[in-house]
Amino acid sequence: MSRLQTTDGLTEEQVELLKLVKEFVDEQIIPAATELEHKDEYPQRIVDQMKEMGIFGLMIPEEYGGLGESLLTYALCVEEIARGWMSVSGIINTHFIVAYMILQHGTEEQKQRYLPKMATGEIRGAFSMSEPALGSDVAAIKTKAVRDGDSDNWTIDGQKMWLTNGGSANLVAVLVRTELGESDSPYRNMTTFLIEKESGFGETAQGVTVPGKIEKMGYKGVDTTELVFQGHKTSTAQILGGVPGKGFYQMMDGVEVGRVNVAARACGVSMRAFELGISYAQQRETFGKKIAEHQGILFRLADMATKVEASHQMMVKAARLKDAGERNDLEAGMAKYLAAENCADVVEQSFRVHGGYGYSKEYEIERLYREAPMLLIGEGTAEIQKMIIGRRLLEDYRLKG
């Protein structure tokens, strides 16, 4: 058992679940990941197995058909799955965020309608904030929902960007502008709609088009798409929580727990890069001895392992705070920032340990080298995390008088 990425205080049930997930990753995901990734092929067989294991319902309460596990348990499972192949963890991460948002902010009717089928994986979730003309500036969203007079009918027009699972999902939580004249703040003029559609590409619902997959340098297998609305008709019943104007805050709550999961994914990728590096260093010989015996390589391994461990412990702290019902925006921001930056560095160091072979597609580290950059921008860039961290610190350490 590795001394890295251990977690104190787990229950027997948590330990057994994580053992089961680790075995699944080692036996089913790692052997298939590189081939599927190079083909940019959706891992349907792996997804079907995760459905059977109940992974899609990990944090959904038992009353809605899920396993009712904590954010910590979920994050530790994501860490393991990302160790096998980051794209698989992406398939469940966006689904989890939508389920979490419905659980926390949805009406009871929305919970009863969606959560049981989300727990089994029959309904698969995606969420959408970004648009082609905006990055981190959520206030600049242009996609708009207009109410038909005083009725409960709405029409949505606009274009969304960077939807993970945009093609495979059949339920999308979409943040749009709804200017009802009740506030000057752009953040109080945004609403989250739950959009039902068919899986696939093309026109997947009335007025809803998924043009096709966006080609990426890494993070393959999982589909990343645009989402185009052209006169899509919906109703107030599809507003998350049933009341317009609360969408920004609902989305930020979802992104906050999403940051814990991005941190977990970075921890998993880091761990795999370390495993590959330390294994290769004990096999490759130069100048008459294993390269692990050279001081320069030994120092790299020590640095990699330290960063793997630091990221994991920060991620665990952020998850436990959220589970305790405490505010964790500071810790989630720190965990996401630290884990993503450390991941990029650990992967590069492992790549350097592999030397020229690291540049070959025959070696797994080549795939990780293309995947790690996505974690630097997913759920908010390093700069956004620093702003969140800095502002939160000023709240706690503001000078008196």
Side-chain angles (χ1 to χ4, degrees), residues 237-274:
Q238 293 308 113
I239 292 176
L240 180 62
V243 179
K246 298 182 178 181
F248 175 79
Y249 306 98
Q250 295 165 344
M251 278 281 181
M252 289 304 103
D253 188 26
V255 168
E256 191 172 289
V257 293
R259 285 179 179 137
V260 174
N261 282 275
V262 170
R265 291 157 75 181
C267 290
V269 174
S270 298
M271 186 62 184
R272 186 58 182 163
F274 170 76

Side-chain angles (χ1 to χ4, degrees), residues 13-257:
E13 290 80 6
Q14 288 173 311
V15 170
E16 286 302 311
L17 176 59
L18 290 169
K19 181 181 177 182
L20 179 65
V21 172
K22 186 178 187 306
E23 289 175 355
F24 173 67
V25 169
D26 289 339
E27 295 172 6
Q28 303 297 327
I29 298 182
I30 290 178
T34 297
E35 180 181 357
L36 289 171
E37 198 272 348
H38 287 167
K39 291 180 179 179
D40 198 6
E41 182 177 328
Y42 188 79
Q44 188 61 57
R45 180 181 60 81
I46 292 172
V47 169
D48 290 341
Q49 289 174 299
M50 289 197 300
K51 287 181 182 178
E52 294 179 8
M53 294 169 66
I55 297 295
F56 285 96
L58 260 180
M59 275 193 68
I60 295 175
E62 293 181 5
E63 64 183 291
Y64 298 111
L67 298 181
E69 285 292 342
S70 63
L71 176 60
L72 175 62
T73 305
Y74 183 85
L76 294 175
C77 288
V78 166
E79 184 178 56
E80 272 299 330
I81 292 169
R83 185 180 70 86
W85 185 14
M86 191 180 76
S87 292
V88 178
S89 67
I91 290 171
I92 60 172
N93 188 46
T94 53
H95 173 87
F96 151 73
I97 291 175
V98 177
Y100 172 84
M101 289 170 61
I102 292 173
L103 180 63
Q104 295 297 319
H105 305 287
T107 64
E108 186 57 36
E109 182 181 354
Q110 289 167 346
K111 294 175 187 178
Q112 294 287 351
R113 180 174 183 176
Y114 294 121
L115 291 179
K117 291 183 179 180
M118 294 186 83
T120 63
E122 180 181 347
I123 290 179
R124 300 265 299 286
F127 79 103
S128 174
M129 289 193 296
S130 188
E131 296 183 359
L134 68 91
S136 301
D137 185 10
V138 180
I141 280 177
K142 294 180 180 179
T143 299
K144 197 170 184 178
V146 178
R147 178 185 268 165
D148 183 9
D150 293 328
S151 73
D152 287 334
N153 299 318
W154 299 75
T155 301
I156 301 178
D157 289 284
Q159 184 178 5
K160 308 299 284 187
M161 191 73 171
W162 304 117
L163 279 78
T164 300
N165 295 323
S168 54
N170 46 17
L171 180 68
V172 187
V174 181
L175 186 64
V176 303
R177 185 174 296 282
T178 48
E179 296 176 347
L180 302 177
E182 297 175 0
S183 174
D184 292 333
S185 170
Y187 303 108
R188 296 185 183 278
N189 281 302
M190 295 184 187
T191 299
T192 300
F193 278 87
L194 299 173
I195 305 297
E196 297 181 13
K197 69 178 191 65
E198 297 294 325
S199 300
F201 302 98
E203 187 169 0
T204 57
Q206 177 273 318
V208 179
T209 300
V210 181
K213 292 199 301 184
I214 297 171
E215 296 296 326
K216 302 161 294 188
M217 76 175 200
Y219 198 37
K220 295 179 179 289
V222 59
D223 47 280
T224 304
T225 75
E226 298 175 67
L227 188 66
V228 180
F229 293 96
Q230 293 177 302
H232 174 64
K233 304 296 183 181
T234 186
S235 69
T236 300
Q238 293 308 113
I239 292 176
L240 180 62
V243 179
K246 298 182 178 181
F248 175 79
Y249 306 98
Q250 295 165 344
M251 278 281 181
M252 289 304 103
D253 188 26
V255 168
E256 191 172 289
V257 293

Side-chain angles (χ1 to χ4, degrees), residues 301-318:
L301 297 175
D303 188 60
M304 291 161 66
T306 301
K307 289 178 176 177
V308 165
E309 184 66 5
S311 298
H312 172 81
Q313 298 303 334
M314 178 62 80
M315 179 272 292
V316 167
K317 179 181 180 181

